[in-house]
Amino acid sequence: MRPLARLRADLATGKNLEIYLTAAIALVVGVLGVFDLVDAKVVGAATLATLALVAVNALGPGTRSPTSRSGSPS
């Protein structure tokens, strides 16, 4: 599947939204930081928020225990 088609399908179904949100925040903060458009405190706070999203995603309900596996990857 082409990347843009996959993005459109994921957004339409609500799948992987946290991944896209995390990537968007990281990209925006990176660009703003590189061009010195925001204060370093803002970049630091946004970086911590992005890391929090990554941690929540890693520990969230998407993780399954070995007994709940259906055998097919999702």
Side-chain angles (χ1 to χ4, degrees), residues 41-71:
K41 289 182 181 181
V42 174
V43 173
T47 301
L48 288 176
T50 304
L51 289 172
L53 282 173
V54 170
V56 167
N57 184 37
L59 299 174
T63 58
R64 294 185 280 173
S65 66
T67 59
S68 67
R69 295 189 186 232
S70 64

PDB file of all heavy atoms in Angstrom, residues 41-71:
ATOM      1  N   LYS A  41      12.930  26.942  26.118  1.00  0.00           N
ATOM      2  CA  LYS A  41      12.029  26.344  27.107  1.00  0.00           C
ATOM      3  C   LYS A  41      10.826  25.686  26.437  1.00  0.00           C
ATOM      4  O   LYS A  41      10.367  24.622  26.868  1.00  0.00           O
ATOM      5  CB  LYS A  41      11.550  27.403  28.097  1.00  0.00           C
ATOM      6  CG  LYS A  41      12.609  27.875  29.051  1.00  0.00           C
ATOM      7  CD  LYS A  41      12.041  28.884  30.025  1.00  0.00           C
ATOM      8  CE  LYS A  41      13.123  29.376  30.975  1.00  0.00           C
ATOM      9  NZ  LYS A  41      12.586  30.345  31.938  1.00  0.00           N
ATOM     10  N   VAL A  42      10.326  26.301  25.391  1.00  0.00           N
ATOM     11  CA  VAL A  42       9.193  25.735  24.660  1.00  0.00           C
ATOM     12  C   VAL A  42       9.612  24.445  23.962  1.00  0.00           C
ATOM     13  O   VAL A  42       8.878  23.456  23.970  1.00  0.00           O
ATOM     14  CB  VAL A  42       8.631  26.761  23.655  1.00  0.00           C
ATOM     15  CG1 VAL A  42       7.556  26.141  22.778  1.00  0.00           C
ATOM     16  CG2 VAL A  42       8.103  27.985  24.378  1.00  0.00           C
ATOM     17  N   VAL A  43      10.790  24.459  23.360  1.00  0.00           N
ATOM     18  CA  VAL A  43      11.294  23.254  22.696  1.00  0.00           C
ATOM     19  C   VAL A  43      11.467  22.132  23.716  1.00  0.00           C
ATOM     20  O   VAL A  43      11.088  20.988  23.464  1.00  0.00           O
ATOM     21  CB  VAL A  43      12.615  23.541  21.953  1.00  0.00           C
ATOM     22  CG1 VAL A  43      13.224  22.258  21.403  1.00  0.00           C
ATOM     23  CG2 VAL A  43      12.384  24.539  20.832  1.00  0.00           C
ATOM     24  N   GLY A  44      12.014  22.449  24.885  1.00  0.00           N
ATOM     25  CA  GLY A  44      12.191  21.445  25.930  1.00  0.00           C
ATOM     26  C   GLY A  44      10.870  20.881  26.419  1.00  0.00           C
ATOM     27  O   GLY A  44      10.712  19.662  26.586  1.00  0.00           O
ATOM     28  N   ALA A  45       9.885  21.764  26.639  1.00  0.00           N
ATOM     29  CA  ALA A  45       8.575  21.305  27.105  1.00  0.00           C
ATOM     30  C   ALA A  45       7.884  20.437  26.047  1.00  0.00           C
ATOM     31  O   ALA A  45       7.283  19.406  26.370  1.00  0.00           O
ATOM     32  CB  ALA A  45       7.704  22.497  27.466  1.00  0.00           C
ATOM     33  N   ALA A  46       7.974  20.841  24.801  1.00  0.00           N
ATOM     34  CA  ALA A  46       7.358  20.052  23.729  1.00  0.00           C
ATOM     35  C   ALA A  46       8.069  18.718  23.547  1.00  0.00           C
ATOM     36  O   ALA A  46       7.431  17.705  23.244  1.00  0.00           O
ATOM     37  CB  ALA A  46       7.372  20.845  22.430  1.00  0.00           C
ATOM     38  N   THR A  47       9.375  18.701  23.753  1.00  0.00           N
ATOM     39  CA  THR A  47      10.117  17.443  23.672  1.00  0.00           C
ATOM     40  C   THR A  47       9.674  16.491  24.772  1.00  0.00           C
ATOM     41  O   THR A  47       9.462  15.295  24.518  1.00  0.00           O
ATOM     42  CB  THR A  47      11.632  17.712  23.773  1.00  0.00           C
ATOM     43  OG1 THR A  47      12.009  18.581  22.715  1.00  0.00           O
ATOM     44  CG2 THR A  47      12.429  16.430  23.683  1.00  0.00           C
ATOM     45  N   LEU A  48       9.503  17.009  25.981  1.00  0.00           N
ATOM     46  CA  LEU A  48       9.014  16.165  27.077  1.00  0.00           C
ATOM     47  C   LEU A  48       7.601  15.657  26.800  1.00  0.00           C
ATOM     48  O   LEU A  48       7.272  14.504  27.100  1.00  0.00           O
ATOM     49  CB  LEU A  48       9.055  16.927  28.397  1.00  0.00           C
ATOM     50  CG  LEU A  48      10.444  17.155  28.974  1.00  0.00           C
ATOM     51  CD1 LEU A  48      10.350  18.016  30.235  1.00  0.00           C
ATOM     52  CD2 LEU A  48      11.110  15.831  29.292  1.00  0.00           C
ATOM     53  N   ALA A  49       6.754  16.505  26.237  1.00  0.00           N
ATOM     54  CA  ALA A  49       5.400  16.079  25.898  1.00  0.00           C
ATOM     55  C   ALA A  49       5.421  14.981  24.835  1.00  0.00           C
ATOM     56  O   ALA A  49       4.659  14.014  24.908  1.00  0.00           O
ATOM     57  CB  ALA A  49       4.586  17.271  25.414  1.00  0.00           C
ATOM     58  N   THR A  50       6.307  15.113  23.866  1.00  0.00           N
ATOM     59  CA  THR A  50       6.433  14.094  22.825  1.00  0.00           C
ATOM     60  C   THR A  50       6.927  12.771  23.409  1.00  0.00           C
ATOM     61  O   THR A  50       6.415  11.699  23.073  1.00  0.00           O
ATOM     62  CB  THR A  50       7.387  14.575  21.716  1.00  0.00           C
ATOM     63  OG1 THR A  50       6.908  15.824  21.213  1.00  0.00           O
ATOM     64  CG2 THR A  50       7.478  13.579  20.593  1.00  0.00           C
ATOM     65  N   LEU A  51       7.899  12.851  24.300  1.00  0.00           N
ATOM     66  CA  LEU A  51       8.383  11.636  24.955  1.00  0.00           C
ATOM     67  C   LEU A  51       7.292  10.994  25.810  1.00  0.00           C
ATOM     68  O   LEU A  51       7.207   9.764  25.902  1.00  0.00           O
ATOM     69  CB  LEU A  51       9.610  11.949  25.808  1.00  0.00           C
ATOM     70  CG  LEU A  51      10.883  12.262  25.022  1.00  0.00           C
ATOM     71  CD1 LEU A  51      11.983  12.743  25.964  1.00  0.00           C
ATOM     72  CD2 LEU A  51      11.336  11.055  24.244  1.00  0.00           C
ATOM     73  N   ALA A  52       6.463  11.812  26.431  1.00  0.00           N
ATOM     74  CA  ALA A  52       5.340  11.271  27.207  1.00  0.00           C
ATOM     75  C   ALA A  52       4.364  10.526  26.298  1.00  0.00           C
ATOM     76  O   ALA A  52       3.857   9.454  26.664  1.00  0.00           O
ATOM     77  CB  ALA A  52       4.625  12.391  27.951  1.00  0.00           C
ATOM     78  N   LEU A  53       4.095  11.071  25.117  1.00  0.00           N
ATOM     79  CA  LEU A  53       3.223  10.371  24.169  1.00  0.00           C
ATOM     80  C   LEU A  53       3.823   9.036  23.746  1.00  0.00           C
ATOM     81  O   LEU A  53       3.116   8.034  23.625  1.00  0.00           O
ATOM     82  CB  LEU A  53       2.975  11.236  22.932  1.00  0.00           C
ATOM     83  CG  LEU A  53       1.961  12.353  23.066  1.00  0.00           C
ATOM     84  CD1 LEU A  53       1.971  13.220  21.804  1.00  0.00           C
ATOM     85  CD2 LEU A  53       0.581  11.793  23.298  1.00  0.00           C
ATOM     86  N   VAL A  54       5.120   9.017  23.534  1.00  0.00           N
ATOM     87  CA  VAL A  54       5.783   7.768  23.165  1.00  0.00           C
ATOM     88  C   VAL A  54       5.673   6.751  24.298  1.00  0.00           C
ATOM     89  O   VAL A  54       5.373   5.574  24.069  1.00  0.00           O
ATOM     90  CB  VAL A  54       7.265   8.025  22.787  1.00  0.00           C
ATOM     91  CG1 VAL A  54       8.026   6.731  22.635  1.00  0.00           C
ATOM     92  CG2 VAL A  54       7.353   8.847  21.520  1.00  0.00           C
ATOM     93  N   ALA A  55       5.880   7.197  25.531  1.00  0.00           N
ATOM     94  CA  ALA A  55       5.799   6.296  26.686  1.00  0.00           C
ATOM     95  C   ALA A  55       4.382   5.763  26.878  1.00  0.00           C
ATOM     96  O   ALA A  55       4.188   4.572  27.129  1.00  0.00           O
ATOM     97  CB  ALA A  55       6.267   7.016  27.944  1.00  0.00           C
ATOM     98  N   VAL A  56       3.395   6.635  26.749  1.00  0.00           N
ATOM     99  CA  VAL A  56       2.003   6.197  26.897  1.00  0.00           C
ATOM    100  C   VAL A  56       1.654   5.199  25.810  1.00  0.00           C
ATOM    101  O   VAL A  56       0.974   4.196  26.058  1.00  0.00           O
ATOM    102  CB  VAL A  56       1.051   7.411  26.877  1.00  0.00           C
ATOM    103  CG1 VAL A  56      -0.389   6.987  26.709  1.00  0.00           C
ATOM    104  CG2 VAL A  56       1.221   8.228  28.144  1.00  0.00           C
ATOM    105  N   ASN A  57       2.125   5.445  24.608  1.00  0.00           N
ATOM    106  CA  ASN A  57       1.867   4.518  23.514  1.00  0.00           C
ATOM    107  C   ASN A  57       2.525   3.163  23.765  1.00  0.00           C
ATOM    108  O   ASN A  57       1.952   2.123  23.489  1.00  0.00           O
ATOM    109  CB  ASN A  57       2.375   5.107  22.193  1.00  0.00           C
ATOM    110  CG  ASN A  57       2.038   4.227  21.014  1.00  0.00           C
ATOM    111  OD1 ASN A  57       0.981   3.628  20.960  1.00  0.00           O
ATOM    112  ND2 ASN A  57       2.951   4.152  20.067  1.00  0.00           N
ATOM    113  N   ALA A  58       3.735   3.184  24.308  1.00  0.00           N
ATOM    114  CA  ALA A  58       4.447   1.928  24.563  1.00  0.00           C
ATOM    115  C   ALA A  58       3.808   1.131  25.695  1.00  0.00           C
ATOM    116  O   ALA A  58       3.820  -0.102  25.677  1.00  0.00           O
ATOM    117  CB  ALA A  58       5.906   2.217  24.895  1.00  0.00           C
ATOM    118  N   LEU A  59       3.247   1.820  26.676  1.00  0.00           N
ATOM    119  CA  LEU A  59       2.669   1.146  27.842  1.00  0.00           C
ATOM    120  C   LEU A  59       1.161   1.051  27.804  1.00  0.00           C
ATOM    121  O   LEU A  59       0.572   0.473  28.699  1.00  0.00           O
ATOM    122  CB  LEU A  59       3.083   1.888  29.117  1.00  0.00           C
ATOM    123  CG  LEU A  59       4.579   1.958  29.379  1.00  0.00           C
ATOM    124  CD1 LEU A  59       4.848   2.845  30.583  1.00  0.00           C
ATOM    125  CD2 LEU A  59       5.147   0.576  29.586  1.00  0.00           C
ATOM    126  N   GLY A  60       0.537   1.606  26.779  1.00  0.00           N
ATOM    127  CA  GLY A  60      -0.916   1.697  26.719  1.00  0.00           C
ATOM    128  C   GLY A  60      -1.602   0.387  26.405  1.00  0.00           C
ATOM    129  O   GLY A  60      -0.994  -0.685  26.415  1.00  0.00           O
ATOM    130  N   PRO A  61      -2.896   0.466  26.125  1.00  0.00           N
ATOM    131  CA  PRO A  61      -3.703  -0.735  25.903  1.00  0.00           C
ATOM    132  C   PRO A  61      -3.339  -1.510  24.650  1.00  0.00           C
ATOM    133  O   PRO A  61      -3.823  -2.603  24.439  1.00  0.00           O
ATOM    134  CB  PRO A  61      -5.125  -0.200  25.803  1.00  0.00           C
ATOM    135  CG  PRO A  61      -4.981   1.224  25.430  1.00  0.00           C
ATOM    136  CD  PRO A  61      -3.677   1.682  26.006  1.00  0.00           C
ATOM    137  N   GLY A  62      -2.470  -0.965  23.814  1.00  0.00           N
ATOM    138  CA  GLY A  62      -2.051  -1.679  22.610  1.00  0.00           C
ATOM    139  C   GLY A  62      -1.159  -2.868  22.902  1.00  0.00           C
ATOM    140  O   GLY A  62      -0.996  -3.752  22.081  1.00  0.00           O
ATOM    141  N   THR A  63      -0.566  -2.889  24.099  1.00  0.00           N
ATOM    142  CA  THR A  63       0.266  -4.031  24.459  1.00  0.00           C
ATOM    143  C   THR A  63      -0.629  -5.161  24.922  1.00  0.00           C
ATOM    144  O   THR A  63      -1.594  -4.958  25.631  1.00  0.00           O
ATOM    145  CB  THR A  63       1.261  -3.657  25.573  1.00  0.00           C
ATOM    146  OG1 THR A  63       0.527  -3.195  26.698  1.00  0.00           O
ATOM    147  CG2 THR A  63       2.217  -2.585  25.097  1.00  0.00           C
ATOM    148  N   ARG A  64      -0.291  -6.370  24.513  1.00  0.00           N
ATOM    149  CA  ARG A  64      -1.116  -7.523  24.852  1.00  0.00           C
ATOM    150  C   ARG A  64      -0.296  -8.538  25.624  1.00  0.00           C
ATOM    151  O   ARG A  64       0.896  -8.680  25.412  1.00  0.00           O
ATOM    152  CB  ARG A  64      -1.653  -8.176  23.576  1.00  0.00           C
ATOM    153  CG  ARG A  64      -2.618  -7.296  22.837  1.00  0.00           C
ATOM    154  CD  ARG A  64      -3.189  -8.032  21.672  1.00  0.00           C
ATOM    155  NE  ARG A  64      -2.189  -7.994  20.591  1.00  0.00           N
ATOM    156  CZ  ARG A  64      -2.321  -8.651  19.474  1.00  0.00           C
ATOM    157  NH1 ARG A  64      -3.347  -9.395  19.249  1.00  0.00           N
ATOM    158  NH2 ARG A  64      -1.391  -8.569  18.549  1.00  0.00           N
ATOM    159  N   SER A  65      -0.974  -9.230  26.475  1.00  0.00           N
ATOM    160  CA  SER A  65      -0.303 -10.299  27.203  1.00  0.00           C
ATOM    161  C   SER A  65      -0.195 -11.528  26.303  1.00  0.00           C
ATOM    162  O   SER A  65      -0.934 -11.657  25.333  1.00  0.00           O
ATOM    163  CB  SER A  65      -1.079 -10.647  28.472  1.00  0.00           C
ATOM    164  OG  SER A  65      -2.340 -11.199  28.145  1.00  0.00           O
ATOM    165  N   PRO A  66       0.734 -12.430  26.604  1.00  0.00           N
ATOM    166  CA  PRO A  66       0.905 -13.623  25.750  1.00  0.00           C
ATOM    167  C   PRO A  66      -0.353 -14.471  25.644  1.00  0.00           C
ATOM    168  O   PRO A  66      -0.561 -15.137  24.649  1.00  0.00           O
ATOM    169  CB  PRO A  66       2.027 -14.400  26.428  1.00  0.00           C
ATOM    170  CG  PRO A  66       2.759 -13.397  27.253  1.00  0.00           C
ATOM    171  CD  PRO A  66       1.749 -12.370  27.643  1.00  0.00           C
ATOM    172  N   THR A  67      -1.223 -14.434  26.633  1.00  0.00           N
ATOM    173  CA  THR A  67      -2.428 -15.262  26.585  1.00  0.00           C
ATOM    174  C   THR A  67      -3.504 -14.680  25.694  1.00  0.00           C
ATOM    175  O   THR A  67      -4.414 -15.390  25.291  1.00  0.00           O
ATOM    176  CB  THR A  67      -3.022 -15.438  28.004  1.00  0.00           C
ATOM    177  OG1 THR A  67      -3.320 -14.147  28.533  1.00  0.00           O
ATOM    178  CG2 THR A  67      -2.059 -16.166  28.905  1.00  0.00           C
ATOM    179  N   SER A  68      -3.411 -13.398  25.355  1.00  0.00           N
ATOM    180  CA  SER A  68      -4.464 -12.769  24.549  1.00  0.00           C
ATOM    181  C   SER A  68      -4.110 -12.680  23.068  1.00  0.00           C
ATOM    182  O   SER A  68      -4.830 -12.068  22.296  1.00  0.00           O
ATOM    183  CB  SER A  68      -4.776 -11.373  25.073  1.00  0.00           C
ATOM    184  OG  SER A  68      -3.660 -10.523  24.856  1.00  0.00           O
ATOM    185  N   ARG A  69      -3.024 -13.282  22.647  1.00  0.00           N
ATOM    186  CA  ARG A  69      -2.627 -13.203  21.234  1.00  0.00           C
ATOM    187  C   ARG A  69      -3.527 -14.063  20.368  1.00  0.00           C
ATOM    188  O   ARG A  69      -3.836 -15.190  20.695  1.00  0.00           O
ATOM    189  CB  ARG A  69      -1.176 -13.620  21.067  1.00  0.00           C
ATOM    190  CG  ARG A  69      -0.262 -12.657  21.771  1.00  0.00           C
ATOM    191  CD  ARG A  69       1.155 -12.937  21.425  1.00  0.00           C
ATOM    192  NE  ARG A  69       1.969 -12.059  22.254  1.00  0.00           N
ATOM    193  CZ  ARG A  69       2.892 -11.272  21.775  1.00  0.00           C
ATOM    194  NH1 ARG A  69       3.149 -11.277  20.517  1.00  0.00           N
ATOM    195  NH2 ARG A  69       3.568 -10.496  22.576  1.00  0.00           N
ATOM    196  N   SER A  70      -3.904 -13.493  19.246  1.00  0.00           N
ATOM    197  CA  SER A  70      -4.781 -14.215  18.346  1.00  0.00           C
ATOM    198  C   SER A  70      -4.015 -14.959  17.251  1.00  0.00           C
ATOM    199  O   SER A  70      -4.597 -15.661  16.462  1.00  0.00           O
ATOM    200  CB  SER A  70      -5.771 -13.237  17.689  1.00  0.00           C
ATOM    201  OG  SER A  70      -5.052 -12.316  16.896  1.00  0.00           O
ATOM    202  N   GLY A  71      -2.719 -14.727  17.207  1.00  0.00           N
ATOM    203  CA  GLY A  71      -1.912 -15.410  16.213  1.00  0.00           C
ATOM    204  C   GLY A  71      -1.653 -14.581  14.981  1.00  0.00           C
ATOM    205  O   GLY A  71      -0.789 -14.868  14.194  1.00  0.00           O
TER     206      GLY A  71
END
